[in-house]
Every structure is written in structure tokens, then in C-alpha cells.
Amino acid sequence: MASSYSLFHYFLASKSKFPSPHHQNHPKFNRPAPTVISCTSSSTFDPSPTTSSSNNNSPSPQKNRRLADENIRDEARRHRSTAKNTFSAKYVPFNAGPDSTESYSLDEIVYRSRSGGLLDVQHDMEALKKFDGAYWRELFDSRVGKTTWPYGSGVWSKKEWVLPEIDLDDIVSAFEGNSNLFWAERFGKQFLGMNDLWVKHCGISHTGSFKDLGMTVLVSQVNRLRKLKRPVVGVGCASTGDTSAALSAYCAAAGIPSIVFLPANKISIAQLVQPIANGAFVLSIDTDFDGCMKLIREVTAELPIYLANSLNSLRLEGQKTAAIEILQQFDWEVPDWVIVPGGNLGNIYAFYKGFKMCQELGLVDRIPRLICAQAANANPLYLYYKSGWNEFKAIKANTTFASAIQIGDPVSIDRAVYALQNSNGIVEEATEEELMDAMAHADSTGMFICPHTGVALTALIKLRNSGVIGAGDRTVVVSTAHGLKFTQSKVDYHSKEIPDMACRFANPPMQVKADFGSVMDVLMKYLGDKAPKH
């Protein structure tokens, strides 16, 4: 105990070197109380931009509280603009040439073009261009953080760019979006020598993943279709977990039946329980995601079930708002790189579309380079990229801890290739050990990420080590789901119970006898290892 005694007294003696926690009188902490200024509510789109309140110091007038028997929908209805909506959107074949005349109303139930290809939502860009970039920036910024229906949502605050013609009464929203853009200061500095690394935590959302951004749009449109008496009884999806959670939650909020096809024994318990708790009709099917996807497409062709997978381009309209939000959070400055985990590959295109719309409408003057990160056990896009885009081959995806991207035949392969080729993009992969080690490193610096974010961080580490990404490059890693959905993978890693994996950065709990001396010995050794070296 002699060494413990001396170390203990070293810490007692050094206590006086640290500042007192009672710092009320320190000038750094003697700051005036913040001024709270009330904000007026945003109504539906008004084509006359208002003068920014930042140009004067007088507080805006106090907004009257809504009526006692009125909710925020009622309030939005009362303040609704009578001006005619001048914006519109429609389905068109994805990447169709200028001579194509094929198009469909968003009120039609259609998932493929006449040739069997993907569809895309095309906005009337000429109508949107009647207002300059400064106007759109100010409009979007004015809606952030409000509770005004539906603009408090990070998705619906960009309503004119998402579903411009939908009635506010048809929108189903949990005020999703507006997710944290986290400065990964310690991770960037310690592991990468970077000082401008950011993680966009899309998993800090209503159901714990970025899928909420797309599902609010899709379920809102289904709500509209049902009111229009279209033949829709329920909404269905194949899922590796997160899609089903988002679909079941938004359908439950709207009172719409949801049907979920899940691959048996291939998703986490946390993901499985979400659709069950939200009242979805869950089918656990003895196949993988690709098999579930094949079945749901066949079923929705025969029954009045609306398809909710990303084959349906409506979801991408919501997901693209995360890209717009990143620009907003950087005060409309464009990052150098954005890294997105990829499975079914709709999200990488959604980010490209969001960035590209901002460029075309004058909000920014360029777009970032995009990187799609895949698990090596489910890497068809990576193999296609490494072949020089010569020939795409679907694969049989092997098991990966990044279960939401365990997809071997991605629906949105053409969309992803288009996005990457038009953003000078890159595709990288991560082995199981690499993604789990990256996740452990990130968690050790204060994050709590999902394995899919571990895939994206591995891509970053590889590209940083090879010099492709520079030390001063502003880089955003998109975190697609909350780490709490994947606790078992973390338990297995830190327990060193993963076969054929070293789990080099595991941090298992230490077993200690229940007596003072044993506890003191362990703690003093730990503190000695952590003490500053002089």
C-alpha cells in the first residue's frame, strides 16, 4: 500500500492547483442575462420577403397566444395565406433525357417508369428561381426552432422544395430533423489530426434514425391519397430495421395501418420492438432483406398496400433536407466532404439532390464531394466503383454488424452512381473489425454511434491516411442511426465475445472484491496510469 499512499497524497497536494468550482465572481462567468425576444409565427408561403429583424435592435412585437380551444394545426389553418400556390412537383423517369414527355402526378400510385426504371420527383425549378438564393436562405432560417405547424420540422421548414402542393392538414410530422451537427473535436484531433471534423447526428430523431426524414413525407402523401379516396388501405415496407420503425411510428400517428416484412433473426431487438410497439403488422420472414424486398414488391402489385421503400422516390425528398440543413448549420458555407453510409443507396442520392438544388437556386456556389461508405460484407457499389463503373453485379450480402446496410442488390444503384459521378465522389469500404474499432474509438471520445457510422468513420480514416482528405478539410460524417439501437454489438465488442476479432479497444468492467483495500488498490493504479507524465 506504500505506493498507493504516496500517490494518494500527491493528488491531495495537487488539489490546490486547480481552480475552485465556486466561480461566480470570476469575470468570465459574470455575463448579463440573455434577452429573450418573442417570434411571430410563419404562415404558409408568402412570396413577399420580410425585412430581417437582425438589422434593428428593437424586439419584435409580442405574439398573441392562440385560443384556448385551438391547437397548432388550427392556428396554422387560421393564419393560412390566401395567395395561390405557384410551386409544383411531379414524377418523371430518373435521369430522363430532355426529350422525355413521361410524367405522373404525385397523386398517382406509381413506382416505376414505363420502361421499368426508377422515378424521380422533379420540381418546377423555373417557379422556384423567381426568388433568389438570399430569399430562400432567409425563409428557411426564419423557421428554425419554431413550433409553428408544420415549419418546426426540419423537413417541412423546406416545404416548398419537398411537397409544395400538399395541404397543411394532410401533413404527418413529429417535428423531425434539425438534428445536431456535432463538432468531433477530440476524435478529429486524436485520431486524424483534423480540426474541422463534424458528425451529423441524423439518428437523434423521433424513431432514432434518418429514415424519419423521408417517412414524414411519404406518410403525409399517403394521408392525402386516402382523403382523395385512392385505393390505399395500408402502407408496407421491407426493412432491416430502421425503415420499419419510422413507417410504423408515422402510420400510427396518422391512424394508417402499417405492414412490415423483416428478415428473421437479422436485426437487433431494439429495432424489432419499435414496429411491434407502434402497432404494425409484422411478418418475420426466413430470408434476407433482398428476399423481403422482392416479396413486398410482388405483394404491393396485388393488394391496396402503398410501397414505402426507397424505390418510392417520395422518401428521398425528405432525406435531401438533411443536406440543406448541413449548409444551414454552417451558415450556408459548403463543406469539402460529406461521407454517407450506403446500403440500398437512396440516401447518397438524396444528399446529392439537396446540395444540387441549393446550388441551382443560388443558395451556394458549389457542392461538396460525396463519399459513400459500405461494409465489406455488403459492398456491391464499392466493387462497381473499383471496376471503373464497368459492370454492376448484385451480390449475396454477408452478415455485418452494420445490419441496416446489409444489402447486396440495392434498389437505388443508378441513383447512387449518378450522385457520385456528378460530385467527383468516392466509394470506400470497411471490414467488420475496422468498423467496430472505429465505433469504439468514436465512443471513447464522447460519442455513442451506430455500426453504420463506424463504416463511415473507417472510410474517413482510410482516406485521411492516404492523403485524399486533408488535415484542414471541412468534413461531415453522416451518422444514420442512434447507438442505443445497437447496444448488443457494443456489449459483444467490449466483452471480447466476437469470434475472430481482437476487439483491441475493448473496455470491459473490472471485477473487484467488496473491500476498501481492493478498491483503493485498483483505483490508485488506474489514476496512476492516467496521471500527467512530467
Side-chain angles (χ1 to χ4, degrees):
M1 290 292 288
S3 61
S4 296
Y5 177 86
S6 60
L7 183 62
F8 178 69
H9 281 78
Y10 161 77
F11 277 103
L12 283 178
S14 64
K15 281 182 70 178
S16 60
K17 299 178 184 178
F18 295 94
S20 166
H22 304 290
H23 48 229
Q24 288 87 343
N25 296 323
H26 193 286
K28 178 180 176 182
F29 298 96
N30 267 346
R31 295 173 179 166
T35 302
V36 179
I37 300 176
S38 62
C39 298
T40 56
S41 65
S42 301
S43 61
T44 51
F45 178 78
D46 179 356
S48 302
T50 57
T51 303
S52 172
S53 61
S54 63
N55 294 328
N56 62 72
N57 296 321
S58 59
S60 54
Q62 177 68 39
K63 176 187 171 185
N64 293 327
R65 289 288 299 271
R66 62 177 176 270
L67 303 176
D69 61 347
E70 185 179 64
N71 61 38
I72 58 173
R73 275 189 196 270
D74 298 329
E75 184 181 37
R77 198 178 296 121
R78 179 163 54 84
H79 288 290
R80 181 175 300 171
S81 171
T82 57
K84 182 182 178 181
N85 174 56
T86 59
F87 305 120
S88 63
K90 61 186 177 182
Y91 293 123
V92 298
F94 171 72
N95 203 19
D99 297 331
S100 174
T101 59
E102 183 181 353
S103 67
Y104 306 90
S105 164
L106 297 187
D107 292 335
E108 294 185 61
I109 301 174
V110 56
Y111 311 114
R112 293 275 193 182
S113 68
R114 285 195 290 266
S115 65
L118 297 169
L119 294 174
D120 199 16
V121 175
Q122 183 184 82
H123 291 263
D124 183 351
M125 296 297 284
E126 293 307 311
L128 293 170
K129 285 178 180 178
K130 290 179 180 177
F131 305 91
D132 64 14
Y135 175 74
W136 290 116
R137 288 194 299 265
E138 184 177 344
L139 179 68
F140 294 160
D141 287 346
S142 73
R143 294 168 171 173
V144 173
K146 306 298 191 298
T147 56
T148 308
W149 183 264
Y151 303 119
S153 160
V155 173
W156 296 108
S157 63
K158 287 88 177 170
K159 178 181 182 294
E160 295 80 14
W161 292 22
V162 177
L163 280 187
E165 296 172 277
I166 195 168
D167 191 279
L168 299 188
D169 283 342
D170 295 335
I171 291 174
V172 182
S173 174
F175 279 16
E176 52 290 307
N178 297 319
S179 57
N180 180 28
L181 186 61
F182 172 80
W183 180 33
E185 179 184 15
R186 185 179 164 207
F187 184 89
K189 180 180 180 180
Q190 181 173 332
F191 297 109
L192 296 163
M194 300 177 72
N195 62 9
D196 209 0
L197 174 62
W198 303 77
V199 177
K200 178 63 170 168
H201 279 299
C202 294
I204 302 177
S205 188
H206 184 57
T207 70
S209 89
F210 79 97
K211 300 293 179 73
D212 293 347
L213 304 178
M215 210 55 75
T216 180
V217 177
L218 185 140
V219 174
S220 294
Q221 181 64 13
V222 169
N223 200 33
R224 171 182 168 90
L225 294 176
R226 283 163 59 94
K227 291 180 181 180
L228 292 173
K229 307 300 182 185
R230 298 292 193 270
V232 177
V233 175
V235 190
C237 74
S239 180
T240 50
D242 293 332
T243 301
S244 62
L247 175 66
S248 58
Y250 282 86
C251 281
I256 300 172
S258 59
I259 301 98
V260 172
F261 287 19
L262 293 176
N265 304 317
K266 290 183 173 65
I267 68 170
S268 73
I269 295 297
Q271 289 173 302
L272 176 61
V273 77
Q274 287 181 280
I276 290 173
N278 285 136
F281 186 58
V282 178
L283 282 69
S284 180
I285 302 173
D286 187 20
T287 183
D288 58 9
F289 171 81
D290 297 312
C292 288
M293 189 69 215
K294 181 177 181 293
L295 284 169
I296 194 72
R297 286 168 64 178
E298 293 171 346
V299 166
T300 53
E302 300 293 330
L303 297 174
I305 300 172
Y306 192 82
L307 180 64
N309 284 95
S310 58
L311 174 63
N312 188 319
S313 53
L314 280 176
R315 277 182 39 201
L316 306 185
E317 293 304 291
Q319 289 166 213
K320 78 183 181 191
T321 63
I324 304 169
E325 203 169 278
I326 288 171
L327 297 176
Q328 222 174 342
Q329 289 168 312
F330 284 134
D331 199 20
W332 303 102
E333 292 183 0
V334 181
D336 298 302
W337 301 90
V338 174
I339 307 175
V340 184
N344 219 16
L345 301 181
N347 211 25
I348 189 74
Y349 176 68
F351 271 81
Y352 168 78
K353 191 172 185 181
F355 288 129
K356 194 63 180 177
M357 280 190 77
C358 286
Q359 183 188 33
E360 290 183 358
L361 292 170
L363 285 76
V364 296
D365 59 4
R366 65 183 180 91
I367 67 172
R369 292 185 68 183
L370 298 179
I371 300 167
C372 189
Q374 291 209 290
N377 282 0
N379 64 348
L381 179 67
Y382 175 76
L383 297 175
Y384 191 18
Y385 170 77
K386 296 299 284 186
S387 74
W389 304 121
N390 284 331
E391 183 182 3
F392 174 74
K393 293 180 180 179
I395 66 170
K396 176 73 173 178
N398 293 314
T399 301
T400 172
F401 283 104
S403 57
I405 56 175
Q406 186 179 314
I407 298 168
D409 189 11
V411 166
S412 292
I413 180 66
D414 293 338
R415 291 171 174 148
V417 172
Y418 181 87
L420 290 162
Q421 290 181 339
N422 284 278
S423 65
N424 192 19
I426 297 173
V427 186
E428 190 50 88
E429 68 172 356
T431 66
E432 293 302 288
E433 188 152 18
E434 286 171 337
L435 73 90
M436 293 298 285
D437 284 349
M439 183 171 70
H441 275 322
D443 289 354
S444 74
T445 64
M447 290 185 267
F448 194 75
I449 63 167
C450 65
H452 318 84
T453 310
V455 173
L457 287 173
T458 298
L460 168 62
I461 292 166
K462 289 182 174 182
L463 293 170
R464 175 73 189 97
N465 289 342
S466 66
V468 174
I469 295 178
D473 290 355
R474 175 171 284 180
T475 304
V476 178
V477 171
V478 176
S479 179
T480 51
H482 202 294
L484 286 172
K485 286 190 171 191
F486 302 92
T487 52
Q488 189 59 52
S489 66
K490 295 176 184 290
V491 169
D492 292 344
Y493 182 91
H494 289 289
S495 302
K496 295 190 173 185
E497 292 181 355
I498 302 174
D500 304 316
M501 189 178 292
C503 303
R504 292 177 297 153
F505 310 106
N507 182 31
M510 180 169 286
Q511 301 296 319
V512 187
K513 291 180 180 179
D515 66 77
F516 179 77
S518 297
V519 171
M520 285 294 291
D521 283 344
V522 167
L523 287 177
M524 298 310 288
K525 181 181 185 305
Y526 172 78
L527 294 174
D529 291 340
K530 298 296 182 181
K533 303 296 189 291
H534 298 292

